[in-house]
């Protein structure tokens, strides 16, 4: 009985020594209890989520508090991404980030506006001098909002270390109530070696899960042979909301021996695109499901793995039987188990894997230039993770690059020669990616050199040339020409462009640039009269909006102020 007692003594020590992060240094950034719409490192499109998304009771304008003493080290304002974002650097070297804000606290907002008016731009990146904007722990530094790429009001909160690596804020004691186990919704098995087979097939197989009375799962027996790997689809739910958030760790063992482990404590922004190597990218492109591979595929250099044996792969011999277990845990240690029995059996009738053969083969470690008709595609060395046959075709200004299920590590270049178009038409052309089942044309950032239009992309799929001859539309929403607006707080204008999209806008009152905040989700530009850029009597407002091929529209109106 002495050994269990000793273990009991050791457990708190081990837990303590594994967490080198200060527990009371940072306080909650909102005054309301933390309810999460998203967790750290949650699987998102082409990136791991770099912070936690704290729900704001469907409201904007909640006070956002500095998590600790420090100084404002960065202010980044963009219509997209983080929206209005504030960065506070603390004496212990960590930086906290607050994003999708509606506005900043008055002294910080004043600093920002001065710079926006000086640079004549709403979008701006500022690094204030170290002691210019000091803040105290608990001080109101901003108000929550829904700006940028935010799908509903919430606060995106991050903690970064000195190297700008985001860390899981839960490691610092910023957590939420969680007594629920992670949810498991899918299991896949992958043949890896050429001779590998799973359930009498040489291609990946979806494995049926059976839920047990205790909430855990069993699967199988799978009949397998050769080198294989497994993949799981799992999310975590916490007590105070039903949002499907990311899990914290996944560990596996085969016949009692640990063979794979991943945890979501920290990552680097340089590796975030490699999420596409962690997941089954092919299934993600087809169904938007995130199947996490429980093995480290070739060219996967993510830093999230540890203690793996043979990169998490299993080698199954004929006439054997084994038990594979997957443990999926959340930060609070609630765990769901999947127990998979695997019977080693080689079926001589199953063929070895033979990919679809096309004339174009991608070697991931070689460059390749593809040319047909007026299209050139430049794939660089290490553009992809895999070697694969590419289906490359060009017809009627449309490029086809298939299959879409291979992820790119970096951009490749797609170029169209437009010499055959007349001069006037050339100016209206852009490259569109045809997206989704309906092949909707979506503007791909198009550059031009003489008679070549080109774009950089990571997406296989379809690309075409589209002509945009229609200028953006501009509509006043809360005023009319020659109106008295003495008691108005804002000027609001709706701007839209239906082909290439809005590229730029410039607003002036009485000939001087004024700040209009752009909300792309509602297509609304807003000027705040509190900026005090108007005069008594008549004011002349002018707005020029330009689309991505350079078509522009001008709107003018006068209004009066007391
Ligand atoms: Zn977020």
């Amino acid at each position: 009985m002495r050994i269990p007692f000793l273990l009991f003594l050791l457990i708190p020590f081990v837990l303590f020594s594994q967490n080198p992060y200060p527990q009371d240094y940072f306080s909650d950034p909102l005054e309301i209890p933390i309810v999460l719409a998203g967790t750290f490192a949650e699987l998102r499109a082409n990136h791991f989520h770099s912070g936690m998304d704290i729900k704001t009771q469907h409201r904007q304008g909640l006070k956002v508090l500095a998590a600790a003493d420090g100084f404002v080290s960065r202010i980044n304002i963009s219509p997209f991404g983080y929206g209005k974002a504030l960065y506070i650097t603390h004496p212990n070297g960590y930086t906290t980030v607050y994003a999708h804000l509606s506005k900043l606290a008055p002294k910080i907002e004043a600093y920002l506006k001065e710079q926006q008016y000086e640079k004549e731009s709403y979008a701006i990146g500022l690094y204030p001098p170290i002691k210019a904007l000091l803040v105290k722990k608990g001080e109101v530094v901003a108000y929550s909002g829904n700006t940028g790429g935010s799908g509903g009001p919430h606060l995106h909160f991050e903690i970064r270390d000195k190297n700008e690596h985001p860390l899981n804020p839960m490691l610092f004691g910023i957590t939420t109530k969680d007594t629920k186990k992670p949810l498991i919704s899918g299991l896949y098995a992958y043949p890896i070696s050429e001779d590998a087979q799973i359930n009498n097939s040489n291609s990946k197989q979806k494995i049926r899960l059976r839920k047990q009375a205790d909430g855990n799962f069993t699967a199988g027996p799978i009949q397998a042979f050769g080198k294989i790997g497994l993949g799981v689809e799992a999310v975590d739910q916490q007590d105070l909301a039903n949002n499907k958030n990311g899990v914290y760790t996944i560990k596996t063992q085969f016949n009692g021996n640990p063979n794979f482990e991943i945890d979501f404590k920290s990552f680097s922004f340089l590796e975030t695109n490699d999420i596409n190597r962690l997941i089954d990218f092919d299934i993600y492109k087809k169904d938007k499901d995130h199947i996490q591979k429980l093995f480290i595929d070739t060219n996967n250099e993510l830093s999230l793995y540890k203690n793996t044996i043979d990169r998490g792969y299993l080698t199954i011999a004929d006439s054997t039987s084994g038990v594979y277990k997957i443990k999926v845990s959340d930060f609070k240690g609630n765990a769901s188990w999947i127990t998979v029995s695997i019977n080693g059996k080689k079926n001589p009738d199953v063929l070895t894997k033979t990919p679809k053969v096309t004339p174009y083969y991608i070697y991931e470690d070689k460059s390749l230039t593809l040319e047909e008709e007026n299209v050139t595609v430049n794939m660089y060395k290490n553009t992809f993770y895999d070697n694969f046959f590419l289906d490359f075709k060009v017809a009627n200004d449309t490029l086809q690059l298939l299959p879409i299920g291979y992820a790119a590590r970096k951009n490749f270049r797609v170029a169209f020669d437009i010499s055959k178009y007349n001069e006037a038409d050339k100016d209206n052309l852009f490259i569109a990616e045809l997206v989704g089942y309906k092949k909707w044309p979506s503007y791909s950032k198009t550059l031009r050199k003489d008679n070549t239009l080109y774009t950089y992309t990571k997406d296989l799929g379809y690309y075409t040339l589209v002509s945009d001859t229609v200028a953006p539309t501009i509509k006043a929403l809360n005023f009319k020409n020659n109106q008295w607006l003495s008691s108005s707080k804002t000027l609001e204008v709706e701007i839209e462009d239906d082909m290439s999209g809005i590229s730029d806008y410039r607003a002036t009152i009485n000939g001087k640039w004024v700040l209009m905040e752009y909300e792309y989700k509602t297509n609304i530009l807003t000027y705040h009269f509190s900026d005090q850029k108007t005069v008594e009597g008549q004011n002349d407002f002018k707005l020029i909006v330009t689309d991505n091929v350079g078509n522009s529209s001008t709107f003018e109106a006068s209004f009066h102020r007391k």
Side-chain angles (χ1 to χ4, degrees), residues 206-261:
K206 183 165 190 176
I207 309 296
R208 201 168 70 86
L209 291 163
R210 293 183 298 272
K211 194 168 190 174
Q212 306 301 297
D214 63 0
N216 292 317
F217 294 85
T218 58
I222 298 173
Q223 187 178 308
F225 177 79
K227 189 170 167 182
I228 67 164
L230 281 95
V232 68
E233 185 178 26
V235 294
D236 189 44
Q237 254 181 349
Q238 289 129 13
D239 290 23
L240 303 175
N242 287 326
N243 295 73
K244 290 180 175 173
N245 299 331
V247 304
Y248 183 56
T249 64
I250 306 177
K251 297 178 185 183
T252 72
Q253 47 174 267
F254 189 48
N255 294 333
N257 302 311
N259 81 326
F260 172 92
E261 185 174 343

Side-chain angles (χ1 to χ4, degrees), residues 413-549:
R413 183 179 184 267
V414 170
F416 287 80
D417 184 301
I418 54 167
S419 316
K420 66 183 177 188
Y421 289 89
N422 68 45
E423 287 307 314
D425 291 343
K426 283 176 187 173
D427 290 339
N428 296 320
L429 292 173
F430 67 93
I431 301 174
E433 181 179 352
L434 299 174
V435 179
Y437 175 67
K438 292 194 169 164
K439 297 214 177 117
W440 194 256
S442 166
Y443 176 78
S444 185
K445 187 175 166 50
T446 305
L447 302 159
R448 180 173 172 186
K449 188 166 189 291
D450 306 324
N451 278 322
T452 304
L453 291 185
Y454 59 102
T455 188
Y456 293 96
T457 178
K458 288 195 180 81
D459 296 336
L460 295 171
Y462 300 88
Y463 292 85
T464 194
L465 287 178
V466 175
S467 173
D468 181 359
T469 55
V470 182
T473 57
I474 304 175
K475 191 171 104 191
L477 291 178
N478 66 346
F479 63 97
K480 290 190 178 74
N481 193 25
N482 284 321
Q483 201 176 357
W484 277 88
L485 301 175
S486 299
S487 56
S488 297
K489 289 198 163 63
T490 59
L491 285 180
E492 289 178 26
V493 179
E494 186 180 73
I495 60 172
E496 280 183 283
D497 186 79
D498 67 351
M499 291 302 286
S500 62
I502 305 285
S503 149
D504 209 2
Y505 63 91
R506 181 180 172 83
T508 57
I509 292 177
N510 305 325
K512 291 207 177 92
W513 184 86
V514 290
L515 176 65
M516 294 199 89
E517 302 192 340
Y518 179 35
E519 181 48 80
Y520 80 93
K521 303 190 289 292
T522 54
N523 305 311
I524 293 175
L525 289 176
T526 306
Y527 166 76
H528 293 270
F529 281 112
S530 55
D531 287 1
Q532 300 182 354
K533 302 296 170 188
T534 52
V535 295
E536 268 186 43
Q538 184 179 323
N539 290 271
D540 298 318
F541 173 74
K542 183 175 177 183
L543 173 66
I544 302 170
V545 182
T546 310
D547 70 15
N548 276 303
V549 298

Side-chain angles (χ1 to χ4, degrees), residues 292-363:
Q292 308 193 47
K293 291 184 274 191
L294 303 173
F295 52 90
I296 309 172
D297 229 334
T298 50
N299 295 312
N300 178 346
E301 282 152 30
L302 282 169
S303 62
L304 305 166
Y305 302 104
K306 58 173 125 170
N307 303 326
T308 60
I309 307 289
D310 193 21
R311 299 172 76 92
Y313 294 118
L314 310 179
T315 301
I316 311 295
D318 202 0
S319 308
T320 57
S321 67
V323 176
Y324 181 77
K325 284 179 183 259
I326 306 165
K327 182 188 183 188
V328 182
S329 306
D330 62 25
F331 188 84
K332 292 290 171 76
N334 305 300
S336 293
W337 287 84
I338 308 169
T339 302
V340 190
S341 35
I342 301 175
N343 290 340
K345 186 159 187 270
K346 186 173 187 180
N347 180 346
D349 299 332
V350 175
L351 302 172
T352 55
K353 276 193 283 186
T354 44
K356 185 188 166 195
V357 176
T358 71
Y360 308 98
Y361 192 71
I362 302 272
Y363 291 96

Side-chain angles (χ1 to χ4, degrees), residues 38 44 49-54 99-100 154-158:
R44 301 272 175 95
H49 187 229
S50 51
M52 52 171 48
D53 285 345
I54 308 174
H100 308 306
H154 74 279
L155 175 70
H156 171 98
F157 176 70
E158 274 180 37

Side-chain angles (χ1 to χ4, degrees), residues 85-125:
L86 183 69
Y87 297 66
I88 298 175
T89 297
H90 307 282
N92 65 352
Y94 290 104
T95 295
T96 49
V97 183
Y98 313 78
H100 308 306
L101 304 167
S102 59
K103 62 179 178 189
L104 307 177
K107 72 173 176 185
I108 308 171
E109 184 84 11
Y111 176 89
L112 165 67
K113 287 220 168 171
E114 197 184 313
Q115 302 289 320
Q116 286 174 316
Y117 272 93
E118 197 181 307
K119 305 236 162 67
E120 300 195 343
S121 177
Y122 170 58
I124 199 165

Side-chain angles (χ1 to χ4, degrees), residues 271 273-278 293 295-303 305 311 313 363-366 381-387 407-409:
E271 63 180 349
N273 178 72
D274 286 343
I275 187 175
N276 291 333
R277 197 56 169 164
L278 177 148
K293 291 184 274 191
F295 52 90
I296 309 172
D297 229 334
T298 50
N299 295 312
N300 178 346
E301 282 152 30
L302 282 169
S303 62
Y305 302 104
R311 299 172 76 92
Y313 294 118
Y363 291 96
E364 58 86 16
D365 62 348
K366 291 194 177 79
K381 192 180 163 184
N382 305 129
T383 293
F384 293 94
Y385 297 96
D386 296 287
N387 301 327
R409 307 155 91 167

